[in-house]
Amino acid sequence: MADRYEGVPHRLLRTPVRDIASGSVGVLMAVLCQNVSDTAIEHWAELAYIRLPSGLEISTSVDNVEAL
């Protein structure tokens, strides 16, 4: 399994967003294309990283991110 990832441009970077899946609100810090497989067969997905007001960062599918 490769540990490589690649940053993906996103129009909402550094702006307030909501994670639809959890309802969490924070600032979109990054969108990365990552290998999310735990097997030898790679599976790549775009993950959004949201920094919550507490400073904790959560990840979610980029499709779950909406602007506030």
Side-chain angles (χ1 to χ4, degrees):
M1 175 171 69
D3 290 331
R4 290 182 242 156
Y5 57 88
E6 181 176 335
V8 177
H10 196 281
R11 66 181 179 83
L12 296 176
L13 281 175
R14 306 280 185 212
T15 64
V17 296
R18 177 185 331 275
D19 171 21
I20 296 169
S22 69
S24 299
V25 173
V27 175
L28 181 62
M29 300 305 293
V31 175
L32 300 177
C33 187
Q34 289 184 265
N35 180 4
V36 294
S37 175
D38 60 355
T39 68
I41 300 171
E42 294 182 355
H43 177 77
W44 293 84
E46 287 187 359
L47 297 179
Y49 287 84
I50 300 171
R51 182 171 293 158
L52 305 178
S54 67
L56 179 71
E57 284 192 10
I58 62 170
S59 62
T60 189
S61 169
V62 75
D63 294 333
N64 289 339
V65 176
E66 67 178 7
L68 288 181

Coordinates of all heavy atoms in Angstrom, one line a residue:
M1 N 0.9 -1.2 0.0 CA 0.0 0.0 0.0 C 0.9 1.2 0.0 O 1.8 1.4 0.8 CB -0.9 0.0 1.2 CG -1.7 1.2 1.4 SD -3.0 1.1 2.7 CE -2.0 1.1 4.1
A2 N 0.6 2.1 -0.9 CA 1.4 3.4 -1.0 C 0.9 4.4 0.1 O -0.3 4.4 0.3 CB 1.3 4.0 -2.4
D3 N 1.8 5.1 0.6 CA 1.4 6.1 1.6 C 1.4 7.5 1.0 O 1.4 8.5 1.7 CB 2.4 6.1 2.8 CG 2.3 4.9 3.6 OD1 1.2 4.3 3.7 OD2 3.3 4.4 4.2
R4 N 1.4 7.6 -0.3 CA 1.4 8.9 -1.0 C 0.0 9.5 -0.9 O -1.0 8.8 -0.9 CB 1.9 8.7 -2.4 CG 3.3 8.4 -2.5 CD 3.7 8.3 -3.9 NE 4.2 6.9 -4.1 CZ 4.2 6.3 -5.2 NH1 3.8 6.9 -6.3 NH2 4.6 5.1 -5.3
Y5 N 0.0 10.8 -1.0 CA -1.3 11.6 -1.1 C -1.0 12.8 -1.9 O 0.2 13.2 -2.1 CB -1.9 11.9 0.3 CG -0.9 12.7 1.2 CD1 -0.9 14.0 1.1 CD2 -0.1 12.0 2.1 CE1 -0.1 14.8 1.9 CE2 0.8 12.7 2.9 CZ 0.8 14.1 2.8 OH 1.6 14.8 3.6
E6 N -2.0 13.4 -2.4 CA -1.9 14.6 -3.2 C -2.9 15.7 -2.8 O -4.1 15.3 -2.7 CB -2.0 14.3 -4.7 CG -1.9 15.4 -5.6 CD -2.0 15.0 -7.1 OE1 -1.7 13.8 -7.4 OE2 -2.3 15.8 -7.9
G7 N -2.5 16.9 -2.6 CA -3.4 18.0 -2.3 C -4.3 18.3 -3.5 O -3.8 18.2 -4.6
V8 N -5.6 18.6 -3.2 CA -6.5 18.9 -4.3 C -7.1 20.3 -4.1 O -7.5 20.6 -3.0 CB -7.7 17.9 -4.3 CG1 -8.7 18.2 -5.3 CG2 -7.2 16.5 -4.4
P9 N -7.0 21.2 -5.1 CA -7.6 22.5 -5.0 C -9.1 22.4 -4.7 O -9.8 21.5 -5.2 CB -7.4 23.2 -6.3 CG -6.4 22.3 -7.0 CD -6.5 20.9 -6.4
H10 N -9.6 23.3 -3.9 CA -11.1 23.3 -3.6 C -11.5 24.7 -3.3 O -10.8 25.5 -2.6 CB -11.4 22.4 -2.3 CG -12.8 22.1 -2.2 ND1 -13.7 22.9 -1.7 CD2 -13.5 20.9 -2.5 CE1 -14.9 22.3 -1.6 NE2 -14.8 21.1 -2.2
R11 N -12.7 25.1 -3.8 CA -13.1 26.5 -3.7 C -13.5 26.9 -2.3 O -13.5 28.1 -2.0 CB -14.4 26.7 -4.6 CG -15.6 25.9 -4.2 CD -16.8 26.1 -5.1 NE -17.9 25.4 -4.7 CZ -18.8 25.8 -3.8 NH1 -18.6 26.9 -3.2 NH2 -19.8 25.0 -3.5
L12 N -13.7 26.0 -1.4 CA -14.0 26.3 0.0 C -12.9 26.3 1.0 O -13.1 26.4 2.2 CB -15.2 25.4 0.5 CG -16.5 25.5 -0.3 CD1 -17.5 24.5 0.2 CD2 -17.1 26.9 -0.1
L13 N -11.6 26.1 0.5 CA -10.5 26.0 1.4 C -10.4 27.3 2.3 O -10.6 28.4 1.8 CB -9.2 25.9 0.6 CG -8.9 24.5 0.2 CD1 -7.6 24.5 -0.7 CD2 -8.7 23.5 1.3
R14 N -10.1 27.1 3.5 CA -10.0 28.2 4.5 C -11.3 29.0 4.8 O -11.3 30.1 5.2 CB -8.9 29.2 4.1 CG -7.6 28.5 3.9 CD -6.9 28.3 5.1 NE -5.5 27.8 4.9 CZ -4.9 26.9 5.7 NH1 -5.5 26.5 6.7 NH2 -3.7 26.5 5.4
T15 N -12.4 28.4 4.5 CA -13.7 29.0 4.8 C -14.6 28.1 5.7 O -14.3 26.9 5.8 CB -14.5 29.3 3.5 OG1 -14.9 28.0 2.8 CG2 -13.7 30.1 2.5
P16 N -15.5 28.7 6.4 CA -16.4 27.9 7.3 C -17.3 26.9 6.5 O -17.8 27.3 5.4 CB -17.3 29.0 8.0 CG -16.5 30.2 7.8 CD -15.8 30.1 6.5
V17 N -17.3 25.7 6.9 CA -18.1 24.6 6.3 C -18.8 23.8 7.3 O -18.5 23.8 8.5 CB -17.2 23.8 5.4 CG1 -16.6 24.6 4.2 CG2 -16.1 23.1 6.2
R18 N -19.7 22.9 6.8 CA -20.4 22.0 7.6 C -20.1 20.6 7.0 O -20.2 20.4 5.8 CB -21.9 22.2 7.7 CG -22.6 21.2 8.5 CD -24.2 21.3 8.5 NE -24.6 22.7 8.3 CZ -24.8 23.6 9.3 NH1 -24.5 23.3 10.5 NH2 -25.2 24.8 9.0
D19 N -19.9 19.6 7.9 CA -19.8 18.2 7.5 C -21.2 17.7 7.6 O -21.8 17.5 8.6 CB -18.9 17.4 8.4 CG -18.9 15.9 8.1 OD1 -19.3 15.5 7.0 OD2 -18.5 15.2 9.0
I20 N -21.8 17.4 6.4 CA -23.2 16.9 6.4 C -23.4 15.6 7.2 O -24.4 15.4 7.9 CB -23.7 16.7 4.9 CG1 -23.7 18.0 4.2 CG2 -25.0 16.0 4.9 CD1 -23.9 17.9 2.7
A21 N -22.4 14.7 7.1 CA -22.5 13.4 7.8 C -22.6 13.5 9.3 O -23.4 12.8 9.9 CB -21.3 12.5 7.4
S22 N -21.8 14.4 9.9 CA -21.7 14.5 11.4 C -22.4 15.7 11.9 O -22.7 15.8 13.1 CB -20.3 14.5 11.8 OG -19.6 15.7 11.5
G23 N -22.7 16.7 11.0 CA -23.2 18.0 11.5 C -22.2 18.9 12.1 O -22.5 20.0 12.5
S24 N -20.9 18.5 12.1 CA -19.9 19.3 12.6 C -19.6 20.6 11.8 O -19.7 20.5 10.5 CB -18.6 18.5 12.7 OG -18.7 17.4 13.6
V25 N -19.3 21.7 12.4 CA -19.0 22.9 11.7 C -17.5 23.3 12.0 O -17.1 23.2 13.2 CB -19.9 24.0 12.2 CG1 -19.6 25.4 11.6 CG2 -21.4 23.7 11.8
G26 N -16.8 23.8 11.0 CA -15.5 24.2 11.2 C -14.9 24.9 9.9 O -15.7 25.3 9.1
V27 N -13.6 24.9 9.8 CA -13.0 25.5 8.7 C -12.3 24.4 7.8 O -11.6 23.6 8.4 CB -11.9 26.5 9.1 CG1 -11.1 27.1 7.9 CG2 -12.5 27.7 9.9
L28 N -12.6 24.4 6.5 CA -11.9 23.5 5.6 C -10.5 23.8 5.5 O -10.1 24.8 5.0 CB -12.6 23.5 4.3 CG -12.1 22.5 3.2 CD1 -12.3 21.0 3.7 CD2 -12.8 22.7 1.9
M29 N -9.6 22.9 6.0 CA -8.2 23.1 6.0 C -7.5 22.5 4.8 O -6.5 23.1 4.3 CB -7.6 22.6 7.3 CG -8.1 23.2 8.5 SD -8.0 25.0 8.6 CE -6.3 25.2 8.7
A30 N -8.0 21.4 4.3 CA -7.3 20.7 3.2 C -8.2 19.7 2.5 O -9.1 19.2 3.2 CB -6.0 20.0 3.6
V31 N -8.0 19.4 1.3 CA -8.6 18.3 0.6 C -7.5 17.5 0.0 O -6.6 18.0 -0.7 CB -9.6 18.7 -0.5 CG1 -10.1 17.5 -1.3 CG2 -10.7 19.6 0.1
L32 N -7.4 16.2 0.3 CA -6.3 15.3 -0.1 C -6.9 14.1 -0.8 O -7.9 13.6 -0.4 CB -5.5 14.8 1.1 CG -4.8 15.9 1.9 CD1 -4.1 15.2 3.1 CD2 -3.8 16.7 1.1
C33 N -6.2 13.7 -1.9 CA -6.5 12.5 -2.5 C -5.6 11.4 -1.9 O -4.4 11.5 -2.0 CB -6.3 12.6 -4.0 SG -6.8 11.1 -4.9
Q34 N -6.3 10.5 -1.2 CA -5.5 9.5 -0.4 C -5.9 8.1 -0.7 O -7.0 7.8 -1.0 CB -5.8 9.7 1.1 CG -5.2 11.0 1.7 CD -5.4 11.0 3.2 OE1 -6.4 11.7 3.6 NE2 -4.6 10.4 4.0
N35 N -4.9 7.2 -0.6 CA -5.2 5.8 -0.7 C -5.8 5.3 0.7 O -5.1 5.4 1.7 CB -3.8 5.0 -0.9 CG -4.1 3.5 -1.0 OD1 -5.2 3.0 -1.0 ND2 -3.0 2.8 -1.2
V36 N -7.0 4.9 0.6 CA -7.8 4.6 1.9 C -7.9 3.1 2.0 O -8.6 2.6 2.9 CB -9.2 5.3 1.9 CG1 -9.0 6.8 2.0 CG2 -10.0 4.9 0.7
S37 N -7.2 2.3 1.2 CA -7.2 0.9 1.3 C -6.4 0.3 2.4 O -5.3 0.9 2.7 CB -6.8 0.3 0.0 OG -6.7 -1.1 0.0
D38 N -6.8 -0.8 3.0 CA -5.9 -1.4 4.0 C -5.5 -2.8 3.4 O -5.0 -3.7 4.2 CB -6.6 -1.6 5.3 CG -7.9 -2.4 5.3 OD1 -8.3 -2.8 4.1 OD2 -8.5 -2.7 6.3
T39 N -5.6 -2.9 2.1 CA -5.1 -4.1 1.4 C -4.0 -3.7 0.4 O -3.7 -2.6 0.2 CB -6.2 -4.9 0.7 OG1 -6.7 -4.1 -0.4 CG2 -7.4 -5.1 1.7
A40 N -3.6 -4.7 -0.4 CA -2.6 -4.4 -1.4 C -3.2 -3.7 -2.6 O -2.5 -3.1 -3.4 CB -1.9 -5.7 -1.8
I41 N -4.5 -3.8 -2.7 CA -5.2 -3.2 -3.9 C -5.5 -1.7 -3.5 O -6.2 -1.5 -2.5 CB -6.5 -3.9 -4.2 CG1 -6.1 -5.3 -4.7 CG2 -7.2 -3.2 -5.3 CD1 -7.3 -6.2 -4.8
E42 N -5.0 -0.8 -4.2 CA -5.2 0.6 -3.8 C -6.6 1.1 -4.1 O -7.2 0.7 -5.1 CB -4.2 1.5 -4.6 CG -2.8 1.3 -4.2 CD -1.8 2.2 -4.9 OE1 -2.2 3.0 -5.8 OE2 -0.6 2.1 -4.6
H43 N -7.1 1.9 -3.3 CA -8.4 2.6 -3.5 C -8.2 4.0 -3.0 O -8.0 4.3 -1.9 CB -9.5 1.9 -2.6 CG -10.8 2.6 -2.8 ND1 -11.6 2.5 -3.8 CD2 -11.5 3.5 -1.9 CE1 -12.7 3.2 -3.7 NE2 -12.6 3.8 -2.5
W44 N -8.3 4.9 -4.0 CA -8.1 6.4 -3.8 C -9.4 7.1 -3.6 O -10.4 6.8 -4.3 CB -7.3 7.0 -4.9 CG -5.9 6.4 -5.0 CD1 -5.5 5.2 -5.6 CD2 -4.7 6.9 -4.4 NE1 -4.2 5.0 -5.4 CE2 -3.7 6.0 -4.7 CE3 -4.5 8.1 -3.7 CZ2 -2.4 6.3 -4.2 CZ3 -3.2 8.3 -3.2 CH2 -2.2 7.4 -3.5
A45 N -9.4 8.0 -2.6 CA -10.6 8.8 -2.4 C -10.2 10.3 -2.0 O -9.1 10.5 -1.4 CB -11.4 8.2 -1.2
E46 N -11.1 11.2 -2.3 CA -10.8 12.6 -1.9 C -11.4 12.8 -0.5 O -12.6 12.6 -0.3 CB -11.4 13.6 -2.9 CG -10.6 13.7 -4.1 CD -11.1 14.8 -5.1 OE1 -12.1 15.5 -4.7 OE2 -10.5 14.9 -6.2
L47 N -10.5 13.2 0.5 CA -11.0 13.4 1.8 C -10.8 14.9 2.2 O -9.8 15.5 1.9 CB -10.2 12.5 2.8 CG -10.3 11.0 2.7 CD1 -9.4 10.3 3.7 CD2 -11.8 10.6 2.9
A48 N -11.8 15.4 2.9 CA -11.7 16.8 3.3 C -11.3 16.8 4.8 O -11.8 16.0 5.6 CB -13.1 17.5 3.2
Y49 N -10.5 17.7 5.2 CA -10.1 17.9 6.6 C -10.6 19.2 7.1 O -10.3 20.2 6.6 CB -8.5 17.8 6.7 CG -8.0 16.4 6.5 CD1 -7.8 15.9 5.2 CD2 -7.8 15.6 7.6 CE1 -7.4 14.6 5.0 CE2 -7.4 14.3 7.4 CZ -7.2 13.8 6.1 OH -6.8 12.5 5.9
I50 N -11.4 19.1 8.2 CA -12.1 20.2 8.7 C -11.6 20.4 10.2 O -11.6 19.5 11.0 CB -13.7 20.0 8.8 CG1 -14.2 19.8 7.3 CG2 -14.4 21.1 9.4 CD1 -15.6 19.3 7.3
R51 N -11.2 21.7 10.4 CA -10.7 22.0 11.8 C -11.9 22.6 12.6 O -12.5 23.6 12.2 CB -9.6 23.0 11.8 CG -9.1 23.3 13.2 CD -7.8 24.2 13.2 NE -6.8 23.4 12.6 CZ -5.7 23.9 12.1 NH1 -5.5 25.2 12.0 NH2 -4.7 23.1 11.6
L52 N -12.3 21.9 13.7 CA -13.4 22.3 14.5 C -12.9 23.5 15.4 O -11.7 23.7 15.6 CB -13.8 21.1 15.4 CG -14.2 19.9 14.6 CD1 -14.6 18.8 15.5 CD2 -15.3 20.2 13.6
P53 N -13.8 24.2 16.0 CA -13.5 25.3 17.0 C -12.6 24.8 18.1 O -11.8 25.6 18.6 CB -14.8 25.8 17.5 CG -15.8 25.4 16.4 CD -15.3 24.1 15.8
S54 N -12.6 23.6 18.5 CA -11.8 23.0 19.6 C -10.3 22.8 19.1 O -9.5 22.6 20.0 CB -12.3 21.7 20.0 OG -12.2 20.7 19.0
G55 N -10.1 22.9 17.8 CA -8.7 22.7 17.3 C -8.6 21.3 16.7 O -7.6 21.0 16.0
L56 N -9.5 20.4 17.1 CA -9.5 19.0 16.5 C -9.8 19.0 15.1 O -10.7 19.8 14.6 CB -10.5 18.2 17.3 CG -10.6 16.7 16.9 CD1 -9.3 15.9 17.3 CD2 -11.8 16.1 17.5
E57 N -9.1 18.2 14.3 CA -9.4 18.1 12.8 C -10.1 16.8 12.6 O -9.7 15.8 13.1 CB -8.2 18.3 12.0 CG -7.7 19.7 11.9 CD -6.7 19.9 10.8 OE1 -6.4 19.0 10.0 OE2 -6.1 21.0 10.8
I58 N -11.1 16.8 11.8 CA -11.8 15.6 11.4 C -11.7 15.4 9.9 O -11.5 16.4 9.2 CB -13.3 15.6 11.8 CG1 -14.1 16.7 11.2 CG2 -13.4 15.7 13.4 CD1 -15.6 16.7 11.3
S59 N -11.9 14.2 9.4 CA -11.9 14.0 8.0 C -13.2 13.4 7.6 O -13.9 12.7 8.4 CB -10.8 13.0 7.6 OG -10.9 11.8 8.2
T60 N -13.6 13.7 6.4 CA -14.9 13.3 5.8 C -14.7 13.2 4.3 O -13.8 13.8 3.7 CB -16.0 14.2 6.2 OG1 -17.3 13.6 5.9 CG2 -15.9 15.6 5.6
S61 N -15.7 12.6 3.6 CA -15.7 12.6 2.2 C -15.9 14.1 1.7 O -16.6 14.8 2.3 CB -16.8 11.8 1.7 OG -17.0 12.0 0.3
V62 N -15.2 14.4 0.7 CA -15.3 15.8 0.1 C -16.8 16.1 -0.3 O -17.2 17.2 -0.3 CB -14.3 16.0 -1.0 CG1 -14.7 15.4 -2.3 CG2 -14.1 17.5 -1.2
D63 N -17.5 15.0 -0.6 CA -18.9 15.2 -1.0 C -19.8 15.6 0.1 O -20.9 16.1 -0.1 CB -19.5 13.9 -1.7 CG -18.8 13.6 -3.0 OD1 -18.3 14.5 -3.7 OD2 -18.7 12.4 -3.3
N64 N -19.3 15.4 1.4 CA -20.1 15.8 2.6 C -19.9 17.2 3.0 O -20.4 17.6 4.0 CB -19.7 14.9 3.7 CG -20.3 13.5 3.6 OD1 -21.2 13.2 2.8 ND2 -19.6 12.5 4.2
V65 N -19.1 18.0 2.3 CA -18.8 19.4 2.7 C -19.7 20.4 2.1 O -19.9 20.3 0.8 CB -17.3 19.7 2.4 CG1 -17.0 21.1 2.7 CG2 -16.4 18.7 3.1
E66 N -20.3 21.2 2.9 CA -21.1 22.3 2.3 C -20.7 23.6 3.0 O -20.3 23.7 4.1 CB -22.6 22.0 2.5 CG -23.1 22.1 4.0 CD -24.6 21.8 4.1 OE1 -25.2 21.5 3.1 OE2 -25.0 22.0 5.3
A67 N -20.8 24.7 2.2 CA -20.5 26.0 2.7 C -21.6 26.5 3.7 O -22.7 26.1 3.6 CB -20.5 27.0 1.5
L68 N -21.1 27.3 4.6 CA -22.1 27.9 5.6 C -22.6 29.2 5.1 O -22.0 29.9 4.3 CB -21.4 28.1 6.9 CG -21.2 26.8 7.7 CD1 -20.5 27.1 9.0 CD2 -22.4 26.0 7.9

